Amino acid sequence: MKLNADSVVSRPRIDHAEAAPHQRSIRRRDGGGAFSFRTLAAVFLVLLTLGLAANALLLARYPGLGPTDSVVYADALDRALDGQAAHSSDTIGADTVAVVEERGILALGAQWPVPGNGVKDWLPPDQVPSTAYVHPPSYFLLTAVGVKVVQTVAPEADWHATGRLLGAVWAALGGTVLVALAMAWRVSAWPATSLAAWLVLSPQPLVNTAFVTPSAATLLVSSLVLLGVTLWWQRRIPWYALAPLGVLTVLFKSNNIVIALLGAVTIITLAILTRTNWRDSGLALGGLLGGTGIATVAWRLWADPVTFDYESSLKLAPDITGFATWLATPLGVGREVSMVRTNLLPQHELLPWLAILFTALMVFAALWCVVRGGAGSVERAAGAVALIAMAGAGLMFALLSLLRTGVLLPAPGRYVLPAIAFAMWPLLLLAERRWVWVTATVATSATALGWLLTS
């Protein structure tokens, strides 16, 4: 089915007797929903408004640098504004040091002044190394372009504050592609938007888009890869169109290679559950993973040699306990971090409970789709992929990190956020059920209230 810029396709209200054609359509690999780009533009504006409001609120309350390596990331953005990429020989520049001195750093749930109170003294700047060079400069260069555009309209706009606010654009783009994914499977846009809105305001995604960090693009990349696999499966794009998406996984942050692995899991799961021709699936796997491999090699050839000198506090023994921590991280079982929870931001006690509810709904939706979805149905495939993503994303990252650095790192939730689109897939398919979109709409409002109540 060709994309239609004007049509709006809603998932039909069908009874069990009418469900069989839709279940067969995944085997025939057709029956995909059309897109309304005007609707998606409206979705983008809604999500952008929510994101800007949340980012402006956090900027007003915590004007300094964020809790996730933001000193080196802010310095990388400062360099990108001059058209430069970070290198291993760089040290923190004077502009970044001035921001740290003036506004402090958000750390351990509180805004710390500088110097003192345990915050590292960032002076003299020529002796503090920058580590932003371990990531491709794409996010910093694109955000710098956005800052320059804003400054043409408002010349006095602060570069660091503007960079933080522009995280709302990344959040809105990611959420909009998530809604497009739902529409591709014949789910109406606005029920899916209720879930996307809840997600972008949740603590873990928000900490990645309210501060300067390349993780701001993670939701966008995760959603784009799953949407690309969907469109390939529905025969709306050729297999080789997955290669650029494979490149995209490494383009913003090398850690996002987990997204390519989950995309491969999705292709294999669809092939197994529908007993499809393995030749076509093999080509798709080659396109996606080939693009990822080429991008990885190209980045390593272009980038400075990456040296890892982790402090002892950041090292874990690669034993069963360490891997078990990574296994629990996507869902945050027994921990304060997950794909949607984080302890890095000050937050009202309402917010962690709403994040737990979000996680519970994702798990329930995945199990529901596996059990209730018909043989060969998209629901069963989505449920299986989601369970693999929720159980395996942490282990995938831990193993990749161990191979790359030789050490096992602690498990922050932002490192498993790349799995979020795959984990949410079943919930998106159920978005039109009243209990889903009503819960998401109420929870989005409650989440916004929780941020307003955060002192």
Side-chain angles (χ1 to χ4, degrees):
M1 181 178 292
K2 295 182 179 180
L3 303 183
N4 188 329
D6 296 318
S7 63
V8 180
V9 175
S10 298
R11 192 180 189 183
R13 303 291 181 180
I14 55 179
D15 57 29
H16 293 291
E18 295 174 324
H22 179 64
Q23 291 177 353
R24 287 198 303 270
S25 70
I26 194 174
R27 287 197 175 99
R28 294 199 310 269
R29 298 176 61 176
D30 59 12
F35 300 95
S36 167
F37 292 110
R38 286 182 295 187
T39 298
L40 289 174
V43 169
F44 173 80
L45 290 176
V46 169
L47 297 177
L48 179 62
T49 301
L50 289 173
L52 283 173
N55 285 14
L57 179 65
L58 290 177
L59 179 63
R61 290 180 175 172
Y62 314 107
L65 284 80
T68 55
D69 301 325
S70 60
V71 174
V72 296
Y73 292 156
D75 186 70
L77 176 59
D78 184 35
R79 294 178 186 279
L81 289 168
D82 295 326
Q84 302 173 4
H87 294 286
S88 58
S89 59
D90 292 337
T91 54
I92 302 300
D95 290 342
T96 304
V97 172
V99 174
V100 177
E101 286 186 306
E102 177 185 353
R103 307 176 196 179
I105 302 172
L106 181 63
L108 300 182
Q111 187 78 31
W112 289 5
V114 174
N117 290 336
V119 175
K120 182 176 180 179
D121 186 355
W122 292 100
L123 297 175
D126 59 354
Q127 297 180 16
V128 180
S130 173
T131 57
Y133 71 95
V134 302
H135 299 302
S138 307
Y139 160 79
F140 303 107
L141 293 173
L142 289 173
T143 301
V145 170
V147 172
K148 291 287 190 181
V149 170
V150 171
Q151 288 178 337
T152 60
V153 179
E156 300 303 317
D158 178 82
W159 65 273
H160 178 257
T162 304
R164 284 185 55 178
L165 289 174
L166 286 174
V169 177
W170 292 104
L173 287 171
T176 301
V177 176
L178 203 63
V179 173
L181 170 66
M183 294 176 71
W185 292 109
R186 295 187 176 275
V187 177
S188 298
W190 295 111
T193 302
S194 67
L195 290 167
W198 188 10
L199 177 68
V200 299
L201 291 183
S202 294
Q204 187 65 255
L206 186 59
V207 78
N208 289 329
T209 54
F211 297 93
V212 176
T213 165
S215 295
T218 298
L219 173 60
L220 174 63
V221 177
S222 181
S223 302
L224 277 173
V225 169
L226 186 51
L227 176 61
V229 171
T230 291
L231 296 179
W232 160 77
W233 182 259
Q234 295 172 351
R235 300 191 188 281
R236 301 162 80 173
I237 62 173
W239 64 267
Y240 50 81
L242 297 180
L245 295 177
V247 172
L248 192 65
T249 60
V250 181
L251 194 61
F252 291 99
K253 198 171 183 181
S254 55
N255 299 344
N256 287 344
I257 194 172
V258 170
I259 298 174
L261 298 180
L262 290 173
V265 167
T266 304
I267 294 171
I268 294 171
T269 301
L270 288 169
I272 292 174
L273 293 183
T274 59
R275 302 176 184 177
T276 192
N277 188 323
W278 276 99
R279 179 182 179 277
D280 195 18
S281 298
L283 289 172
L285 284 170
L288 180 63
L289 297 181
T292 301
I294 291 172
T296 300
V297 172
W299 165 240
R300 290 300 171 213
L301 291 175
W302 182 85
D304 297 341
V306 178
T307 58
F308 296 95
D309 184 22
Y310 292 107
E311 299 176 8
S312 58
S313 61
L314 295 180
K315 295 180 181 179
L316 293 176
D319 55 17
I320 297 299
T321 303
F323 285 113
T325 302
W326 276 105
L327 181 65
T329 298
L331 300 180
V333 180
R335 308 183 71 234
E336 294 181 332
V337 296
S338 72
M339 287 188 289
V340 290
R341 279 194 293 165
T342 181
N343 55 6
L344 294 177
L345 284 176
Q347 53 197 276
H348 188 270
E349 60 184 10
L350 180 64
L351 294 170
W353 287 108
L354 289 168
I356 291 172
L357 175 61
F358 201 136
T359 300
L361 284 178
M362 285 195 295
V363 174
F364 178 80
L367 294 174
W368 175 281
C369 286
V370 168
V371 174
R372 298 294 296 272
S377 68
V378 60
E379 286 85 1
R380 182 162 292 178
V385 168
L387 291 176
I388 293 172
M390 289 185 281
L395 292 179
M396 289 180 187
F397 181 87
L399 291 172
L400 288 170
S401 176
L402 191 61
L403 289 173
R404 184 183 177 202
T405 68
V407 300
L408 189 65
L409 299 176
R414 68 183 184 276
Y415 287 158
V416 291
L417 185 63
I420 190 64
F422 301 87
M424 280 188 65
W425 189 12
L427 196 55
L428 289 169
L429 295 178
L430 300 178
E432 286 186 332
R433 293 177 182 267
R434 185 170 299 162
W435 62 269
V436 175
W437 67 261
V438 169
T439 299
T441 302
V442 172
T444 300
S445 302
T447 301
L449 177 62
W451 290 119
L452 288 172
L453 294 175
T454 299
S455 59

